Amino acid sequence: MGEKYVAYVGTYTHGSSIGIHLYDVDVEEGTLTERKVIPINNSSDICRSLNGKYMYSIADEGVAVFSVDEEDGDLCLINKVDIDGMRGCYLSVDQSGRYLFVAGYHDGKVTVVHTHQDGRLGSVMDGVFHKGLGSVAERNFRPHVNCVIPTPDNKYLCAVDNGIDQVKIYKINTRRHKLQLVDILRCERESGPRNLAFSQNGKFAYLLYELTNEVDVFTYEAGSNVPVFEKIQTISTTSDNVDRAHDAASGMCLSNDGKHLFTSTAGDNTVAMYTIDPESGLLNKEFALPISGEYPKDIAIFPDDKHIAVVNHESNSITTFTIDYEKKLLVQKGRPMQVETPNCILITQMGV
């Protein structure tokens, strides 16, 4: 592969870490080499703009945006905006490039921020606080929005609420720049939905549950006025014979070719791989294997789909593995790399 790639790892900065760690990616070897750290407070999530020119990051101040250097992937701060709420935990952008969506775990809020063509973040266009009691009093007594992601057709915004066991589905009024609730996907009580991803063809959705350590598979259709989700499968994320009461499914991503889904589970401290049936969207679990780290918070597949990187929050490390699809194994690449409290990872091509 002639293209060059970089990896960004967002960290919590209440210890010795100071921001987003930038790594050069050796795609063929499946390794990362740290180059520098870009200062930003508590970068718990990052995402790149659709045109690849800008990088958005959670920050204590709200949300920050950086320009991305086309030559080496370096980041240069443009501006920050207050999101009129507590610090967010998840970021995504819509297909038009007009909006940045922010999930608020701590205050149960979905925020819409306007993005300018020159990369600057503008004003907060809308903010919606979720309401309602959750199912687990000691933890989920109030809403915790953990993920916000547009549907593949860009018609709706899905807000995954870990606290009230729901996925609230909004339509964006592009004239008034406001969110309109159109449907609610109600999950099993005490399941703790955490993350949502759509298949490459946009026909299926995969919903990861933190408390039950499962993935639900749904068919997806845009519908005329409301989206249509139909559950067709539930499958475990953990290895066999484990104490699921102390596990927490944490990360999820799809391979670049759309043929496999990967999840990580804390406590069990494993990464699971599933083969995706292209016709039905159903999952077949191939393995759930240890990742030589504690609390695998996020995972990322290398561009060639032959390697995987795991950021381990509690063991302050990143581990990388070769994926052996035939033998259904993960083969570790060298010793764990040390980075304090890593929270998210993004591997992306330079100059795109």
Side-chain angles (χ1 to χ4, degrees), residues 152-163:
D153 45 55
N154 209 43
K155 291 184 176 182
Y156 306 100
L157 178 70
C158 301
V160 180
D161 198 310
N162 187 270

Side-chain angles (χ1 to χ4, degrees), residues 66-223:
F66 300 83
S67 61
V68 180
D69 190 291
E70 292 185 3
E71 297 298 324
D72 62 5
D74 199 359
L75 303 180
C76 181
L77 181 66
I78 298 176
N79 75 322
K80 302 175 185 176
V81 296
D82 192 330
I83 58 172
D84 300 330
M86 301 178 72
R87 180 165 52 86
C89 67
Y90 190 97
L91 297 170
S92 64
V93 293
D94 77 317
Q95 295 298 317
S96 71
R98 299 172 66 185
Y99 304 114
L100 174 71
F101 304 114
V102 187
Y105 180 88
H106 301 288
D107 55 6
K109 184 185 180 187
V110 180
T111 305
V112 183
V113 181
H114 177 55
T115 58
H116 294 288
Q117 289 186 347
D118 63 0
R120 289 179 300 113
L121 287 170
S123 59
V124 172
M125 308 301 290
D126 198 9
V128 178
F129 287 95
H130 287 187
K131 299 178 181 179
L133 294 177
S135 52
V136 185
E138 64 271 18
R139 174 179 177 176
N140 290 6
F141 64 93
R142 59 186 176 87
H144 296 298
V145 183
N146 207 82
C147 170
V148 281
I149 182 171
T151 54
D153 45 55
N154 209 43
K155 291 184 176 182
Y156 306 100
L157 178 70
C158 301
V160 180
D161 198 310
N162 187 270
I164 58 176
D165 301 320
Q166 294 180 358
V167 180
K168 291 185 181 289
I169 302 167
Y170 298 92
K171 194 169 185 177
I172 302 174
N173 185 322
T174 55
R175 289 187 296 108
R176 298 179 59 241
H177 308 293
K178 299 295 181 182
L179 295 175
Q180 175 189 355
L181 183 65
V182 295
D183 202 3
I184 298 175
L185 186 63
R186 291 175 170 83
C187 308
E188 179 184 338
R189 286 174 58 85
E190 303 184 20
S191 59
R194 180 183 176 97
N195 213 333
L196 179 67
F198 288 90
S199 63
Q200 199 171 67
N201 61 13
K203 295 181 179 180
F204 307 101
Y206 303 96
L207 183 59
L208 180 71
Y209 294 93
E210 182 176 7
L211 298 182
T212 57
N213 303 298
E214 294 172 329
V215 177
D216 273 353
V217 183
F218 297 84
T219 59
Y220 170 76
E221 294 181 11

Side-chain angles (χ1 to χ4, degrees), residues 34-45:
E34 185 171 343
R35 190 200 311 163
K36 66 178 300 183
V37 183
I38 298 93
I40 188 74
N41 292 322
N42 288 320
S43 177
S44 56
D45 195 46

Side-chain angles (χ1 to χ4, degrees), residues 257-315:
D257 61 10
K259 295 180 179 180
H260 295 88
L261 180 80
F262 294 83
T263 62
S264 61
T265 303
D268 195 31
N269 293 329
T270 57
V271 162
M273 184 183 81
Y274 311 82
T275 301
I276 301 174
D277 185 286
E279 297 299 323
S280 66
L282 295 174
L283 301 177
N284 181 57
K285 187 161 70 173
E286 304 290 356
F287 60 70
L289 295 172
I291 43 75
S292 299
E294 296 179 23
Y295 200 154
K297 198 73 173 286
D298 197 16
I299 50 180
I301 302 298
F302 280 62
D304 61 358
D305 284 334
K306 296 180 180 179
H307 305 92
I308 188 170
V310 186
V311 294
N312 305 300
H313 189 267
E314 293 300 321
S315 55

